[in-house]
Amino acid sequence: MSEVLVDVQGVHKSFELGMTKVRALRGLDLQVQAGEFTAVVGASGSGKSTLLNLIGCLDEPDEGRIVLGGQDISHLDDAARCKLRNRKIGYIFQAFNLVPVLSVAENVELPLLLHDELSAQERGERVAQALVDVELTEFATQFPDRLSGGQRQRVAIARAQVTRPALVLADEPTANLDSETTAKLVDLMVDLNQKRGVTFLFSTHDEKLMGRVARVVRIRDGKVAAEAA
Amino acid sequence: MKSAWAFAFANLRRNRKRNLATVAAIAFGYAGLVLLGGYAVRIERFLKANAVFIQHANHVAVWVQGGLDNAAAEPDKYQFDKAQTDTILAWAKGDKRVERATRYLRGFGMAGNACATRPANLLGIDPQEHAALLQHPELLEASPELARPAQGQWAYQVKDAPRGVALAAGLQKVLQKPKVFDEVRGRPPAPTVLDCDTPKAVEQLAADADIQIVGQTYDGTLNAVDGQMVASFHAAEPIAEDTAMIVPLASLQTLYATERITYVGLLLHDSADAGQVALDLKAALAAKDMKTDTYTYADQTWAPYYVGTMAFLGSMVGFITMLVTAVLVFTVAGAMTLAILERLREFGTWRALGFERGHVVGLLVRESLLVSLIGLAVGLAIGLCAAFAINSGGFRFSPPGVAGSIQLLITPAVWACAAQAMLLPPGIMVATWWVVRGQMRKKPVDLLNAATA
């Protein structure tokens, strides 16, 4: 039996929107096993992104507890959260979030700059391997504005897994892509999950992707509504 | 991977128009400071040369103790005798920092034209020593115009006028002597007795350049010496314009029947040594039982016009510099605020990838520093070109104490440019840090979802 990588226990999260208080998560529980490929599905506003932000240490829960790799990450200080994000988590964003003035290889190398234990040569080797994985080796010196949407998101995937994180979080990674590119991208993530054993947790509202993922967690009104394998 | 600096530089390409506008603001502001500093440096050199060489402050002056206040009233008591003068001159000759020493005798008297007399403020200086001052490279470099008389030639330039004197232009006018020695040489002399009460007097007075100087010897006897007006000049202070007269030292000593002098001026190879030389000289003379006061050209009591004007100029330049620096700092802070707000999502990404707040702040501070350094470099080039253009333009103006006009020159000094430039980057860095720090307090998720991104 594989170990639990992510354990979300009774998490609540609310936001103030003007005079209105929005309860995004209402006592949500979720466990993700190491090496799993999990999709979090739900309507807009259901709390998918909030859940991923909390697991990814980009935000803090109001109540409840989140354990990542055996460590309670609910209320760490900023330096510890930064280190955790850099070492254990990879991010793939809906809008790619590449740095426009950096080349493809430089974008992928970015999180490795905080790995003092790696030499420049080792960083270069890791970047090269990550680009091979996403089939973008020939674009290494290009800048993001010369790439298609699918290529940019592949760069983001390479960047997310170049640090060899325990968990890759992808928030609506295919929302800005056409269906053909979306399918290729999901296949790429599944392939990386199977080959490298990277745990993927991604949110989507695209029901067509459900058949391609191992586990689907459906969220409604800030709680897990249903699960399917 | 790019270094942090290279990355910061690359980011400047993002908003070229805004960054260009920011660089232009810094460049023109700094160019203005370069010109202002260059003007102040030029004025300082001019005023210093005027004080040291024309108003005879020299770099260091040594007086009998209390002489500056009392020599006029009690010259016999507060002036150096021959032996004391020789002691000072010997010390000056033996000190390698001293370029030359000049003896001065100050006093009062009456200047006459055979019809009338007027009060005169007399300065006695040996013509050859006066020549050395007026031909000094530091003076000629600062402003050759200062060395020229308003009319005629200085005594050392007129070989056949052994008692050549120079009158302030106002005194020349009231004595009705419109022509100097050179202009009346060889003409028929005026009658021995002039028709002072008739209209003929004007013509008779103008026929020669003879001046009589009347004074009281130190033992109380009335005495007089003759002089030939070889030159006229403009005094630095309007109040001296009707009374000032430069007389050969020997003539003035004859008038007062004395060998005494009022003070000795020392010109140094390097004016920066003035303070130490003044101390050393005072100590050396004290060891020989001579109680003295020594002054430098930067001493308010000795050279008040130079020191006071420079204090005013310094405060004015300092105030304007601070004002311009503040405007530039706020300009850059405004531009950086816009840049930061536009890039919040990117900073959220950096934070998501594990970079701490300090990394992002450091990046933006580098960017603002690069903008300011580029602006300063461009501003320096603009300032130097503008200074060259102004200097080539031949603009002239008439400061007090100068015969005619002098050229408006802007002479930027390395130290002044550097001092002004050094104010800007720290200010801009602090302003950027302050602006960024506020935004970086936000949680990464808020940066990633920022509406302005």
Side-chain angles (χ1 to χ4, degrees):
Chain A
M1 186 178 170
S2 59
E3 62 179 296
V4 175
L5 179 66
V6 181
D7 190 1
V8 181
Q9 304 166 4
V11 165
H12 291 259
K13 184 68 183 176
S14 302
F15 301 102
E16 303 279 347
L17 280 181
M19 301 292 284
T20 312
K21 187 171 186 177
V22 178
R23 295 177 65 194
L25 297 181
R26 305 176 187 189
L28 186 141
D29 296 303
L30 176 69
Q31 284 193 338
V32 178
Q33 308 295 319
E36 255 188 347
F37 193 91
T38 307
V40 178
V41 185
S44 181
S46 60
K48 307 185 298 289
S49 295
T50 303
L51 174 64
L52 264 58
N53 288 337
L54 293 174
I55 294 172
C57 279
L58 297 173
D59 205 350
E60 291 181 48
D62 298 334
E63 283 179 50
R65 193 164 172 257
I66 300 172
V67 178
L68 176 64
Q71 181 186 7
D72 187 346
I73 62 168
S74 311
H75 300 288
L76 298 173
D77 64 26
D78 189 64
R81 298 169 82 80
C82 285
K83 190 166 184 182
L84 191 84
R85 287 197 294 265
N86 181 254
R87 299 283 167 156
K88 291 191 176 176
I89 303 169
Y91 295 91
I92 301 168
F93 301 98
Q94 178 180 335
F96 324 128
N97 289 25
L98 302 179
V99 181
V101 295
L102 297 181
S103 68
V104 164
E106 288 170 336
N107 265 289
V108 175
E109 190 185 1
L110 205 52
L112 289 179
L113 294 179
L114 298 174
H115 288 237
D116 295 334
E117 74 281 6
L118 296 179
S119 66
Q121 187 185 346
E122 287 168 324
R123 290 203 309 268
E125 288 167 2
R126 288 242 198 140
V127 170
Q129 182 58 53
L131 289 176
V132 168
D133 289 345
V134 297
E135 300 175 359
L136 280 177
T137 303
E138 67 272 29
F139 294 95
T141 56
Q142 297 284 340
F143 285 86
D145 61 352
R146 307 292 296 270
L147 305 179
S148 67
Q151 287 170 325
R152 290 185 202 185
Q153 200 57 300
R154 278 152 62 195
V155 175
I157 292 171
R159 184 178 65 185
Q161 56 102 27
V162 75
T163 56
R164 297 174 186 166
L167 175 67
V168 171
L169 297 168
D171 189 9
E172 303 266 10
T174 59
N176 287 344
L177 304 175
D178 59 58
S179 56
E180 187 183 347
T181 309
T182 295
K184 285 181 182 173
L185 206 73
V186 173
D187 288 344
L188 175 62
M189 290 195 289
V190 170
D191 191 44
L192 286 170
N193 168 252
Q194 290 170 353
K195 276 186 186 168
R196 305 234 178 266
V198 182
T199 307
F200 272 86
L201 179 61
F202 79 100
S203 66
T204 183
H205 59 265
D206 188 347
E207 296 288 341
K208 286 181 286 185
L209 297 177
M210 299 307 110
R212 294 173 178 268
V213 299
R215 181 187 175 202
V216 176
V217 176
R218 200 169 294 277
I219 293 183
R220 186 181 302 141
D221 298 330
K223 286 182 178 177
V224 174
E227 279 205 44
Chain B
M1 181 66 191
K2 288 179 170 71
S3 70
W5 286 104
F7 182 67
F9 187 76
N11 271 323
L12 297 184
R13 293 192 311 237
R14 284 181 165 182
N15 265 300
R16 288 184 190 173
K17 282 185 181 173
R18 186 167 63 226
N19 285 328
L20 270 177
T22 309
V23 165
I26 295 172
F28 282 106
Y30 182 58
L33 292 181
V34 168
L35 292 177
L36 182 67
Y39 179 71
V41 167
R42 159 67 175 156
I43 292 297
E44 194 276 338
R45 283 182 190 158
F46 177 83
L47 290 177
K48 183 178 167 187
N50 193 26
V52 170
F53 299 98
I54 305 303
Q55 297 188 45
H56 301 279
N58 288 259
H59 291 129
V60 174
V62 54
W63 290 64
V64 170
Q65 191 173 56
L68 193 58
D69 294 327
N70 302 304
E74 298 179 84
D76 207 23
K77 185 177 172 186
Y78 287 98
Q79 297 194 121
F80 294 119
D81 62 23
K82 181 78 167 58
Q84 290 172 322
T85 304
D86 289 344
T87 301
I88 296 168
L89 296 179
W91 184 91
K93 198 172 181 182
D95 193 295
K96 289 181 178 174
R97 295 169 295 181
V98 179
E99 183 181 329
R100 65 178 303 110
T102 306
R103 298 163 299 155
Y104 293 94
L105 177 59
R106 280 184 175 183
F108 298 107
M110 302 292 284
N113 60 6
C115 280
T117 56
R118 293 285 184 271
N121 218 331
L122 307 170
L123 178 72
I125 180 173
D126 180 85
Q128 293 312 311
E129 293 178 10
H130 196 198
L133 288 175
L134 294 175
Q135 293 168 347
H136 197 279
E138 189 179 324
L139 172 65
L140 298 179
E141 186 189 343
S143 182
E145 293 88 348
L146 280 172
R148 293 176 199 145
Q151 187 182 354
Q153 300 183 82
W154 296 110
Y156 71 88
Q157 296 169 309
V158 186
K159 303 298 179 194
D160 52 346
R163 296 187 300 277
V165 298
L167 275 62
L171 182 60
Q172 176 194 15
K173 192 174 180 182
V174 296
L175 292 178
Q176 296 177 286
K177 293 288 183 183
K179 291 180 178 162
V180 295
F181 182 80
D182 274 346
E183 294 166 325
V184 296
R185 185 190 280 116
R187 293 190 181 179
T192 309
V193 179
L194 304 181
D195 302 314
C196 295
D197 296 328
T198 68
K200 285 183 182 175
V202 173
E203 188 182 337
Q204 290 172 341
L205 287 170
D208 61 34
D210 293 344
I211 297 291
Q212 294 81 47
I213 309 167
V214 181
Q216 197 175 34
T217 63
Y218 291 171
D219 58 11
T221 309
L222 202 61
N223 197 8
V225 294
D226 291 326
Q228 297 96 29
M229 186 185 68
V230 292
S232 68
F233 61 92
H234 289 291
E237 298 167 0
I239 197 168
E241 188 74 355
D242 291 344
T243 59
M245 187 189 298
I246 298 173
V247 184
L249 178 64
S251 294
L252 203 55
Q253 286 178 321
T254 301
L255 179 67
Y256 296 138
T258 185
E259 287 187 322
R260 290 180 176 274
I261 60 157
T262 312
Y263 72 98
V264 177
L266 304 182
L267 271 188
L268 307 182
H269 294 293
D270 184 353
S271 61
D273 293 330
Q276 192 57 50
V277 168
L279 290 174
D280 294 347
L281 174 58
K282 186 179 175 73
L285 295 177
K288 294 179 185 295
D289 290 331
M290 285 174 64
K291 291 182 178 175
T292 58
D293 289 327
T294 53
Y295 304 96
T296 72
Y297 68 95
D299 193 321
Q300 175 95 45
T301 54
W302 177 229
Y305 182 69
Y306 165 71
V307 177
T309 307
M310 284 317 300
F312 169 73
L313 195 64
S315 61
M316 189 180 74
V317 170
F319 177 73
I320 293 174
T321 299
M322 296 307 291
L323 204 64
V324 171
T325 301
V327 169
L328 294 180
V329 164
F330 286 119
T331 301
V332 176
M336 289 309 295
T337 302
L338 281 175
I340 290 161
L341 290 176
E342 284 173 358
R343 290 164 58 192
L344 286 180
R345 180 182 289 172
E346 180 189 322
F347 301 142
T349 306
W350 283 76
R351 299 277 284 131
L353 295 178
F355 288 87
E356 294 185 26
R357 292 187 178 103
H359 289 115
V360 182
V361 173
L363 176 71
L364 284 160
V365 168
R366 281 184 178 87
E367 285 181 26
S368 66
L369 190 59
L370 278 175
V371 167
S372 58
L373 290 177
I374 293 169
L376 289 174
V378 175
L380 181 63
I382 293 173
L384 294 177
C385 289
F388 178 78
I390 291 169
N391 294 345
S392 303
F395 305 108
R396 303 187 75 81
F397 67 105
S398 300
V402 175
S405 61
I406 68 167
Q407 188 181 349
L408 171 63
L409 288 173
I410 307 290
T411 52
V414 174
W415 66 266
C417 294
Q420 289 170 324
M422 281 166 63
L423 284 174
L424 201 53
I428 286 173
M429 286 168 68
V430 169
T432 305
W433 170 81
W434 183 70
V435 171
V436 180
R437 191 171 140 263
Q439 293 296 331
M440 285 307 115
R441 282 181 178 156
K442 291 179 178 170
K443 289 185 285 192
V445 66
D446 293 331
L447 294 171
L448 285 164
N449 294 330
T452 50

